[in-house]
Amino acid sequence: MKNLEFLDRLDDITPTSILVAPQPVLSQVAHEVRPEDMTALREALPGMFSAMYKAPGIGLAAPQVGLSQRFVLVDVAREDEPRRPMVLINPEIIESTETLAVREEGCLSLPNQYAEVIRPESIRVRYRDLDGQAIEQDADGLLATCIQHEIDHLDGILFVDHLSSLKRNMIMRRLAKEQKRRR
């Protein structure tokens, strides 16, 4: 966490604006993070973590803040637990179980919209951390769901894309209606 020392002063950090669907960047495949991108990535993290925690959310992908890059933030710690922030750079799922789990999902880019999504119960993910170290990690339960959801964002996929077209259209119409009311 040495690279995330700003987390102690999140109250002083302006949250980055989170894009709401349908924004074009949310349906595009994000570009791989290259070594020369790391400075800009590090500069984006304080505002992104501030936005994620204030939303409140448990994950945020770079495309959700308008950055077409392959990195995500995740923290599935409960409110009464210490934070467990993770930054996954160029993450990829390298294994997943055949056993599936159903979990209700929401998304900061589809505020107040929820639906049950079926995903593999457990995964193995490979990514780079902020020091450039390659890491492989097993995840199950909420963490597995969150990582899969965030990696989907990097591929231009929203959780509603896993639903029937009828359910997806209902949610997108409801979202558009709510957004119109807020203006």
Side-chain angles (χ1 to χ4, degrees), residues 25-96:
V25 71
L26 295 174
S27 59
Q28 298 168 353
V29 176
H31 304 286
E32 189 167 310
V33 174
R34 300 163 304 180
E36 59 267 27
D37 300 324
M38 289 304 295
T39 299
L41 184 155
R42 288 177 199 281
E43 289 171 359
L45 290 179
M48 287 180 69
F49 269 107
S50 177
M52 181 181 81
Y53 287 128
K54 285 182 180 171
I58 60 172
L60 186 65
Q64 292 179 271
V65 297
L67 302 173
S68 184
Q69 292 192 308
R70 296 188 75 81
F71 73 94
V72 303
L73 317 180
V74 172
D75 188 343
V76 297
R78 292 189 175 108
E79 283 186 37
D80 59 340
E81 298 175 335
R83 288 184 172 151
R84 295 190 307 257
M86 299 171 61
V87 177
L88 290 71
I89 301 168
N90 297 326
E92 59 181 321
I93 296 170
I94 55 175
E95 286 180 34
S96 59

Side-chain angles (χ1 to χ4, degrees), residues 96-101 119-122:
S96 59
T97 59
E98 289 184 24
T99 307
L100 301 176
R119 297 184 184 271
E121 185 176 57
S122 300

